[in-house]
Amino acid sequence: MTSAGSASPSSAPEPGAEPGLAIVQDPDEQITIFLWSNASDEALQALAALDLDELTLRRPDRGRVQLVWNPASAKWQIRGHE
């Protein structure tokens, strides 16, 4: 997997700083995960529990899958793009 974002994974956010966005991509599986640095423990636990193989089978199209946390539903949402 590759990642891009505003901060390296080893750097701690400064107090009062705006949350950063990490974009993690797996080009082989065509999965992209958008993860904010202030993600809740609930979001991280749900992400760890995801079966990515199952997600790629259920994607809305055969293109890239984008996963985004929805705090209102407390679930990761799938957005598919060709």
Side-chain angles (χ1 to χ4, degrees):
M1 286 193 159
T2 60
S3 66
S6 60
S8 67
S10 61
S11 65
E14 295 178 24
E18 293 291 320
L21 177 63
I23 302 171
V24 183
Q25 299 180 4
D26 184 334
D28 295 332
E29 297 298 326
Q30 294 195 37
I31 296 173
T32 303
I33 300 172
F34 294 85
L35 182 65
W36 289 98
S37 61
N38 64 349
S40 67
D41 288 344
E42 180 181 28
L44 297 175
Q45 290 169 353
L47 181 59
L50 285 177
D51 181 344
L52 296 180
D53 291 330
E54 181 182 332
L55 285 176
T56 57
L57 293 174
R58 293 191 300 124
R59 63 184 170 211
D61 55 37
R62 299 311 305 162
R64 176 167 297 282
V65 171
Q66 295 182 346
L67 295 174
V68 180
W69 178 251
N70 181 336
S73 67
K75 294 186 179 186
W76 286 91
Q77 291 184 329
I78 301 170
R79 289 194 272 173
H81 294 279
E82 300 235 5

Coordinates of all heavy atoms in Angstrom, one line a residue:
M1 N 0.8 -1.2 0.0 CA 0.0 0.0 0.0 C 0.9 1.2 0.0 O 2.0 1.2 0.6 CB -0.9 0.0 1.2 CG -2.0 -0.9 1.2 SD -3.2 -0.5 2.5 CE -4.6 -1.3 1.8
T2 N 0.4 2.3 -0.6 CA 1.1 3.5 -0.6 C 0.3 4.6 0.1 O -1.0 4.4 0.2 CB 1.4 4.0 -2.0 OG1 0.1 4.2 -2.7 CG2 2.2 3.1 -2.8
S3 N 0.9 5.6 0.7 CA 0.1 6.6 1.3 C 0.7 8.0 1.0 O 1.8 8.2 0.7 CB 0.1 6.4 2.9 OG 1.4 6.6 3.4
A4 N -0.2 9.0 1.1 CA 0.1 10.3 0.9 C -0.7 11.1 1.9 O -1.8 10.8 2.3 CB -0.2 10.8 -0.5
G5 N -0.2 12.2 2.4 CA -0.9 13.0 3.4 C -0.1 14.2 3.8 O 1.0 14.4 3.4
S6 N -0.7 14.9 4.8 CA -0.1 16.2 5.2 C 1.0 15.9 6.3 O 1.8 16.8 6.5 CB -1.2 17.1 5.7 OG -1.8 16.5 6.8
A7 N 1.0 14.8 6.9 CA 2.0 14.5 7.9 C 2.5 13.1 7.8 O 1.7 12.2 7.4 CB 1.4 14.7 9.3
S8 N 3.7 12.8 8.2 CA 4.2 11.5 8.1 C 3.6 10.7 9.3 O 3.3 11.3 10.3 CB 5.7 11.5 8.2 OG 6.2 11.9 9.5
P9 N 3.5 9.4 9.2 CA 2.8 8.6 10.2 C 3.5 8.7 11.6 O 2.9 8.5 12.6 CB 2.9 7.1 9.7 CG 3.2 7.3 8.2 CD 3.9 8.6 8.0
S10 N 4.9 9.0 11.6 CA 5.6 9.0 12.8 C 5.5 10.4 13.5 O 5.9 10.5 14.7 CB 7.0 8.6 12.6 OG 7.6 9.6 11.7
S11 N 5.0 11.4 12.9 CA 4.9 12.7 13.5 C 3.6 12.9 14.3 O 2.5 12.5 13.8 CB 5.1 13.8 12.4 OG 4.0 13.8 11.6
A12 N 3.7 13.4 15.4 CA 2.5 13.7 16.3 C 1.9 15.0 15.9 O 2.7 16.0 15.6 CB 2.9 13.7 17.8
P13 N 0.6 15.1 15.9 CA 0.0 16.4 15.6 C 0.3 17.4 16.7 O 0.4 17.1 17.8 CB -1.5 16.1 15.5 CG -1.7 14.8 16.2 CD -0.4 14.1 16.1
E14 N 0.4 18.7 16.3 CA 0.6 19.8 17.2 C -0.7 20.0 17.9 O -1.8 20.0 17.3 CB 1.1 21.0 16.5 CG 2.5 20.9 15.9 CD 2.9 22.1 15.2 OE1 2.4 23.2 15.5 OE2 3.7 22.0 14.3
P15 N -0.7 20.4 19.2 CA -1.9 20.7 19.9 C -2.6 21.9 19.2 O -2.0 22.9 18.9 CB -1.4 21.2 21.3 CG -0.1 20.5 21.5 CD 0.5 20.5 20.1
G16 N -3.9 21.7 19.0 CA -4.7 22.8 18.4 C -4.6 22.8 16.9 O -5.2 23.6 16.2
A17 N -3.8 21.9 16.3 CA -3.6 21.8 14.8 C -4.9 21.2 14.2 O -5.6 20.4 14.8 CB -2.4 21.0 14.5
E18 N -5.1 21.7 12.9 CA -6.2 21.1 12.2 C -5.9 19.6 11.9 O -4.7 19.3 11.7 CB -6.4 21.8 10.8 CG -6.8 23.3 11.0 CD -8.3 23.3 11.5 OE1 -9.1 22.5 11.0 OE2 -8.6 24.2 12.3
P19 N -6.9 18.7 11.8 CA -6.6 17.3 11.5 C -6.1 17.2 10.1 O -6.4 17.9 9.2 CB -8.0 16.7 11.7 CG -9.0 17.7 11.7 CD -8.3 19.0 12.1
G20 N -5.2 16.2 10.0 CA -4.6 16.0 8.6 C -5.3 14.8 8.0 O -6.0 14.0 8.7
L21 N -5.2 14.7 6.7 CA -5.8 13.6 6.0 C -4.8 12.7 5.4 O -3.9 13.1 4.7 CB -6.7 14.1 4.9 CG -7.4 13.1 4.0 CD1 -8.4 12.3 4.7 CD2 -8.1 13.8 2.8
A22 N -4.9 11.4 5.7 CA -4.0 10.4 5.1 C -4.8 9.6 4.1 O -5.9 9.3 4.3 CB -3.5 9.4 6.2
I23 N -4.2 9.5 2.9 CA -4.8 8.8 1.8 C -4.0 7.6 1.5 O -2.8 7.7 1.2 CB -5.0 9.7 0.6 CG1 -5.8 10.9 0.9 CG2 -5.6 8.9 -0.6 CD1 -5.8 12.0 -0.2
V24 N -4.5 6.4 1.8 CA -3.8 5.1 1.7 C -4.4 4.4 0.5 O -5.6 4.2 0.4 CB -3.9 4.3 3.0 CG1 -3.1 3.0 2.8 CG2 -3.5 5.1 4.2
Q25 N -3.5 4.0 -0.5 CA -3.9 3.4 -1.7 C -3.2 2.0 -1.8 O -2.1 1.9 -1.5 CB -3.6 4.2 -2.9 CG -4.2 5.6 -2.9 CD -3.9 6.4 -4.1 OE1 -3.2 5.9 -5.0 NE2 -4.4 7.6 -4.1
D26 N -4.0 1.0 -2.3 CA -3.5 -0.2 -2.7 C -3.8 -0.4 -4.2 O -4.9 -0.7 -4.5 CB -4.2 -1.4 -1.9 CG -3.6 -2.7 -2.2 OD1 -3.0 -2.9 -3.3 OD2 -3.6 -3.6 -1.3
P27 N -2.8 -0.1 -5.0 CA -3.1 -0.1 -6.5 C -3.5 -1.5 -7.0 O -4.2 -1.6 -8.0 CB -1.8 0.4 -7.1 CG -0.8 0.4 -6.0 CD -1.5 0.3 -4.7
D28 N -3.0 -2.6 -6.4 CA -3.3 -3.9 -6.9 C -4.7 -4.3 -6.6 O -5.4 -4.9 -7.5 CB -2.4 -4.9 -6.2 CG -0.9 -4.8 -6.6 OD1 -0.6 -4.3 -7.7 OD2 0.0 -5.1 -5.8
E29 N -5.3 -3.9 -5.5 CA -6.6 -4.2 -5.1 C -7.6 -3.1 -5.5 O -8.8 -3.2 -5.3 CB -6.8 -4.5 -3.6 CG -6.0 -5.7 -3.2 CD -6.5 -7.0 -3.9 OE1 -7.7 -7.1 -4.1 OE2 -5.6 -7.9 -4.1
Q30 N -7.1 -1.9 -6.0 CA -7.9 -0.8 -6.3 C -8.7 -0.3 -5.1 O -9.9 -0.1 -5.3 CB -8.7 -1.1 -7.6 CG -7.9 -1.3 -8.8 CD -8.8 -1.2 -10.0 OE1 -9.7 -0.4 -10.1 NE2 -8.5 -2.0 -11.0
I31 N -8.1 -0.2 -4.0 CA -8.8 0.3 -2.8 C -8.0 1.6 -2.3 O -6.8 1.6 -2.3 CB -8.8 -0.7 -1.6 CG1 -9.6 -1.9 -2.1 CG2 -9.3 -0.1 -0.3 CD1 -9.5 -3.1 -1.1
T32 N -8.8 2.6 -2.0 CA -8.2 3.9 -1.4 C -9.0 4.1 -0.1 O -10.2 4.1 -0.1 CB -8.4 5.1 -2.4 OG1 -7.8 4.8 -3.6 CG2 -7.8 6.3 -1.8
I33 N -8.3 4.4 1.0 CA -8.9 4.7 2.3 C -8.5 6.1 2.6 O -7.4 6.5 2.6 CB -8.4 3.7 3.4 CG1 -8.8 2.3 3.0 CG2 -9.0 4.1 4.7 CD1 -8.2 1.2 3.9
F34 N -9.5 6.9 2.9 CA -9.4 8.3 3.4 C -9.5 8.3 4.9 O -10.6 8.0 5.4 CB -10.4 9.2 2.7 CG -10.2 9.3 1.3 CD1 -10.8 8.4 0.4 CD2 -9.5 10.4 0.7 CE1 -10.6 8.5 -1.0 CE2 -9.3 10.5 -0.7 CZ -9.9 9.5 -1.5
L35 N -8.4 8.6 5.6 CA -8.4 8.6 7.1 C -7.9 9.8 7.7 O -6.8 10.2 7.4 CB -7.6 7.4 7.5 CG -7.5 7.1 9.0 CD1 -8.8 6.7 9.5 CD2 -6.4 6.0 9.3
W36 N -8.8 10.5 8.5 CA -8.4 11.7 9.1 C -7.6 11.4 10.4 O -7.8 10.4 11.0 CB -9.6 12.5 9.5 CG -10.3 13.1 8.3 CD1 -11.4 12.6 7.7 CD2 -9.9 14.3 7.7 NE1 -11.7 13.5 6.6 CE2 -10.8 14.5 6.6 CE3 -8.9 15.3 7.8 CZ2 -10.7 15.6 5.7 CZ3 -8.9 16.4 7.0 CH2 -9.8 16.5 5.9
S37 N -6.6 12.3 10.7 CA -5.7 12.0 11.8 C -6.5 12.1 13.2 O -6.0 11.5 14.2 CB -4.6 13.1 11.9 OG -5.1 14.4 12.0
N38 N -7.7 12.7 13.2 CA -8.5 12.7 14.4 C -9.6 11.6 14.4 O -10.6 11.7 15.1 CB -9.1 14.1 14.6 CG -10.1 14.5 13.6 OD1 -10.2 13.8 12.5 ND2 -10.8 15.6 13.8
A39 N -9.4 10.6 13.6 CA -10.4 9.5 13.6 C -10.6 8.9 14.9 O -9.7 8.7 15.7 CB -9.9 8.4 12.6
S40 N -11.8 8.6 15.2 CA -12.2 8.0 16.5 C -11.7 6.6 16.7 O -11.4 5.9 15.7 CB -13.7 8.1 16.7 OG -14.3 7.1 15.8
D41 N -11.6 6.1 17.9 CA -11.3 4.7 18.2 C -12.3 3.8 17.5 O -11.9 2.8 17.0 CB -11.3 4.4 19.7 CG -10.1 5.0 20.4 OD1 -9.1 5.4 19.7 OD2 -10.1 5.1 21.6
E42 N -13.6 4.2 17.5 CA -14.6 3.4 16.8 C -14.3 3.3 15.3 O -14.5 2.2 14.8 CB -16.0 4.1 17.0 CG -17.1 3.4 16.4 CD -18.4 4.2 16.6 OE1 -18.4 5.4 16.8 OE2 -19.5 3.5 16.6
A43 N -13.9 4.4 14.7 CA -13.6 4.3 13.3 C -12.4 3.4 13.0 O -12.4 2.6 12.1 CB -13.3 5.7 12.7
L44 N -11.4 3.5 13.9 CA -10.2 2.6 13.7 C -10.5 1.1 13.9 O -10.0 0.3 13.2 CB -9.1 3.1 14.6 CG -8.6 4.5 14.3 CD1 -7.5 4.9 15.3 CD2 -8.0 4.6 12.9
Q45 N -11.3 0.9 14.9 CA -11.7 -0.5 15.2 C -12.5 -1.1 14.1 O -12.4 -2.2 13.7 CB -12.5 -0.6 16.5 CG -11.6 -0.3 17.7 CD -12.4 -0.2 19.0 OE1 -13.6 -0.1 19.0 NE2 -11.6 -0.1 20.1
A46 N -13.4 -0.3 13.5 CA -14.3 -0.7 12.4 C -13.4 -1.0 11.2 O -13.6 -1.9 10.4 CB -15.4 0.3 12.1
L47 N -12.4 -0.1 11.0 CA -11.5 -0.3 9.8 C -10.7 -1.6 10.0 O -10.6 -2.4 9.0 CB -10.5 0.9 9.7 CG -9.5 0.8 8.6 CD1 -10.2 0.8 7.2 CD2 -8.6 2.1 8.6
A48 N -10.2 -1.9 11.2 CA -9.5 -3.1 11.4 C -10.3 -4.3 11.2 O -9.8 -5.4 10.8 CB -8.9 -3.1 12.9
A49 N -11.6 -4.2 11.4 CA -12.5 -5.4 11.3 C -13.0 -5.6 9.9 O -13.6 -6.6 9.6 CB -13.7 -5.2 12.2
L50 N -12.8 -4.6 9.0 CA -13.3 -4.8 7.6 C -12.6 -5.9 6.9 O -11.4 -6.2 7.0 CB -13.0 -3.5 6.8 CG -13.9 -2.3 7.1 CD1 -13.4 -1.1 6.2 CD2 -15.3 -2.6 6.8
D51 N -13.3 -6.7 6.1 CA -12.8 -7.7 5.2 C -12.6 -7.1 3.9 O -13.6 -6.9 3.1 CB -13.8 -8.9 5.2 CG -13.3 -10.0 4.3 OD1 -12.3 -9.8 3.5 OD2 -13.8 -11.1 4.4
L52 N -11.4 -6.6 3.5 CA -11.2 -5.9 2.3 C -11.5 -6.8 1.1 O -11.9 -6.3 0.0 CB -9.8 -5.3 2.3 CG -9.5 -4.3 3.3 CD1 -8.1 -3.8 3.2 CD2 -10.5 -3.1 3.2
D53 N -11.2 -8.1 1.2 CA -11.6 -9.0 0.0 C -13.1 -8.9 -0.3 O -13.5 -8.9 -1.4 CB -11.1 -10.4 0.3 CG -9.6 -10.5 0.3 OD1 -8.9 -9.7 -0.4 OD2 -9.1 -11.4 1.0
E54 N -13.9 -9.0 0.8 CA -15.3 -8.9 0.6 C -15.8 -7.6 0.1 O -16.6 -7.5 -0.8 CB -16.0 -9.2 2.0 CG -17.5 -9.2 1.9 CD -18.2 -9.4 3.2 OE1 -17.6 -10.0 4.1 OE2 -19.3 -8.8 3.3
L55 N -15.1 -6.5 0.5 CA -15.5 -5.2 0.0 C -15.2 -5.1 -1.5 O -16.0 -4.5 -2.2 CB -14.7 -4.1 0.7 CG -15.1 -3.8 2.2 CD1 -14.2 -2.8 2.8 CD2 -16.5 -3.3 2.2
T56 N -14.1 -5.6 -2.0 CA -13.8 -5.5 -3.4 C -14.8 -6.3 -4.2 O -15.1 -6.0 -5.3 CB -12.4 -5.9 -3.7 OG1 -12.2 -7.3 -3.3 CG2 -11.4 -5.0 -3.1
L57 N -15.4 -7.4 -3.6 CA -16.4 -8.1 -4.3 C -17.8 -7.4 -4.4 O -18.6 -7.6 -5.3 CB -16.6 -9.5 -3.7 CG -15.4 -10.5 -3.8 CD1 -15.7 -11.7 -3.0 CD2 -15.1 -10.8 -5.2
R58 N -18.0 -6.6 -3.3 CA -19.3 -5.9 -3.2 C -19.3 -4.5 -3.8 O -20.3 -3.8 -3.7 CB -19.7 -5.8 -1.7 CG -20.1 -7.1 -1.1 CD -20.7 -6.9 0.3 NE -19.9 -6.1 1.2 CZ -20.2 -5.0 1.8 NH1 -21.4 -4.5 1.6 NH2 -19.4 -4.4 2.7
R59 N -18.2 -4.0 -4.4 CA -18.1 -2.7 -4.8 C -19.2 -2.4 -5.9 O -19.5 -3.3 -6.6 CB -16.7 -2.3 -5.3 CG -16.2 -3.1 -6.5 CD -14.8 -2.7 -6.7 NE -14.2 -3.5 -7.7 CZ -12.9 -3.8 -7.7 NH1 -12.1 -3.3 -6.8 NH2 -12.4 -4.6 -8.6
P60 N -19.6 -1.1 -5.9 CA -20.7 -0.8 -6.8 C -20.4 -0.9 -8.3 O -21.3 -1.0 -9.1 CB -21.1 0.7 -6.5 CG -20.0 1.1 -5.6 CD -19.2 0.0 -5.1
D61 N -19.1 -0.9 -8.7 CA -18.7 -1.1 -10.0 C -17.4 -1.8 -10.0 O -17.0 -2.3 -9.0 CB -18.6 0.3 -10.8 CG -17.6 1.2 -10.0 OD1 -16.6 0.8 -9.5 OD2 -17.9 2.4 -10.0
R62 N -16.8 -2.0 -11.1 CA -15.5 -2.7 -11.1 C -14.3 -1.8 -11.0 O -13.2 -2.2 -11.3 CB -15.4 -3.6 -12.4 CG -16.6 -4.6 -12.6 CD -16.8 -5.4 -11.4 NE -15.6 -6.2 -10.9 CZ -15.5 -6.7 -9.7 NH1 -16.5 -6.5 -8.8 NH2 -14.5 -7.3 -9.3
G63 N -14.5 -0.6 -10.7 CA -13.4 0.4 -10.6 C -12.9 0.5 -9.2 O -13.1 -0.4 -8.4
R64 N -12.1 1.5 -8.9 CA -11.5 1.7 -7.6 C -12.5 1.9 -6.5 O -13.5 2.6 -6.7 CB -10.6 3.0 -7.7 CG -10.0 3.3 -6.4 CD -8.9 4.3 -6.5 NE -7.8 3.8 -7.3 CZ -6.8 3.0 -6.8 NH1 -6.9 2.5 -5.6 NH2 -5.9 2.6 -7.6
V65 N -12.3 1.4 -5.4 CA -13.1 1.5 -4.2 C -12.5 2.6 -3.3 O -11.3 2.5 -3.0 CB -13.2 0.2 -3.4 CG1 -13.9 0.4 -2.1 CG2 -14.0 -0.9 -4.2
Q66 N -13.3 3.5 -2.9 CA -12.9 4.5 -1.9 C -13.7 4.3 -0.6 O -14.9 4.2 -0.7 CB -13.1 5.9 -2.5 CG -12.3 6.2 -3.7 CD -12.5 7.7 -4.2 OE1 -13.5 8.3 -3.8 NE2 -11.7 8.1 -5.1
L67 N -13.0 4.2 0.5 CA -13.6 4.0 1.8 C -13.5 5.3 2.6 O -12.4 5.9 2.7 CB -13.0 2.9 2.6 CG -13.1 1.5 2.0 CD1 -12.3 0.5 2.8 CD2 -14.5 1.1 2.0
V68 N -14.6 5.8 3.1 CA -14.7 7.0 3.9 C -15.5 6.8 5.1 O -16.6 6.2 5.0 CB -15.3 8.2 3.0 CG1 -15.4 9.5 3.8 CG2 -14.6 8.4 1.7
W69 N -15.0 7.2 6.3 CA -15.8 7.0 7.5 C -16.9 8.0 7.6 O -16.8 9.2 7.4 CB -14.8 7.2 8.7 CG -15.5 7.1 10.1 CD1 -15.8 8.1 10.9 CD2 -16.0 5.9 10.7 NE1 -16.4 7.6 12.0 CE2 -16.6 6.2 11.9 CE3 -16.1 4.5 10.3 CZ2 -17.1 5.3 12.8 CZ3 -16.6 3.6 11.1 CH2 -17.2 4.0 12.3
N70 N -18.1 7.5 8.0 CA -19.3 8.3 8.2 C -19.6 8.3 9.7 O -20.1 7.3 10.2 CB -20.5 7.7 7.4 CG -21.7 8.6 7.5 OD1 -21.9 9.3 8.5 ND2 -22.6 8.5 6.6
P71 N -19.3 9.3 10.4 CA -19.5 9.3 11.8 C -21.0 9.3 12.2 O -21.4 8.7 13.3 CB -18.9 10.6 12.3 CG -18.7 11.5 11.1 CD -18.7 10.6 9.9
A72 N -21.9 9.7 11.4 CA -23.3 9.7 11.7 C -23.9 8.3 11.7 O -24.7 7.9 12.6 CB -24.1 10.5 10.6
S73 N -23.4 7.4 10.8 CA -23.9 6.1 10.7 C -22.9 5.1 11.5 O -23.2 3.9 11.6 CB -24.1 5.6 9.3 OG -22.8 5.5 8.6
A74 N -21.7 5.6 11.8 CA -20.7 4.8 12.5 C -20.3 3.6 11.6 O -20.1 2.6 12.1 CB -21.1 4.4 13.9
K75 N -20.1 3.9 10.3 CA -19.8 2.9 9.4 C -18.8 3.5 8.3 O -18.9 4.7 8.0 CB -21.0 2.3 8.7 CG -21.9 1.5 9.6 CD -23.0 0.8 8.9 CE -23.8 0.1 9.8 NZ -24.8 -0.7 9.2
W76 N -18.0 2.6 7.7 CA -17.2 3.0 6.6 C -18.1 2.9 5.3 O -18.8 1.9 5.2 CB -16.0 2.1 6.4 CG -15.0 2.4 7.4 CD1 -14.8 1.8 8.7 CD2 -13.9 3.3 7.3 NE1 -13.8 2.4 9.3 CE2 -13.2 3.3 8.5 CE3 -13.6 4.2 6.3 CZ2 -12.1 4.2 8.8 CZ3 -12.5 5.1 6.6 CH2 -11.8 5.0 7.8
Q77 N -18.1 3.9 4.5 CA -18.9 4.0 3.3 C -18.0 3.7 2.1 O -16.9 4.1 2.0 CB -19.6 5.3 3.1 CG -20.6 5.6 4.1 CD -21.3 6.9 3.8 OE1 -20.7 7.9 3.3 NE2 -22.6 7.0 4.2
I78 N -18.6 2.9 1.2 CA -17.9 2.6 -0.1 C -18.4 3.6 -1.2 O -19.6 3.8 -1.4 CB -18.3 1.2 -0.5 CG1 -17.9 0.2 0.6 CG2 -17.6 0.8 -1.8 CD1 -18.4 -1.2 0.3
R79 N -17.4 4.1 -1.8 CA -17.7 4.9 -3.0 C -16.9 4.3 -4.1 O -15.6 4.2 -4.1 CB -17.2 6.4 -2.8 CG -18.2 7.1 -1.8 CD -17.9 8.6 -1.9 NE -16.8 8.9 -1.0 CZ -16.3 10.1 -1.0 NH1 -16.7 11.1 -1.8 NH2 -15.3 10.4 -0.1
G80 N -17.5 3.9 -5.2 CA -16.8 3.3 -6.3 C -16.7 4.2 -7.5 O -17.5 5.1 -7.7
H81 N -15.5 4.1 -8.2 CA -15.3 5.0 -9.3 C -14.6 4.1 -10.4 O -13.8 3.3 -10.1 CB -14.3 6.1 -9.0 CG -15.0 7.1 -8.0 ND1 -15.8 8.1 -8.4 CD2 -14.9 7.2 -6.7 CE1 -16.2 8.8 -7.4 NE2 -15.7 8.3 -6.3
E82 N -14.9 4.4 -11.6 CA -14.3 3.6 -12.7 C -13.0 4.3 -13.0 O -12.7 5.4 -12.8 CB -15.2 3.7 -14.0 CG -16.5 3.1 -13.7 CD -16.9 2.0 -14.6 OE1 -16.1 1.6 -15.5 OE2 -18.0 1.5 -14.5

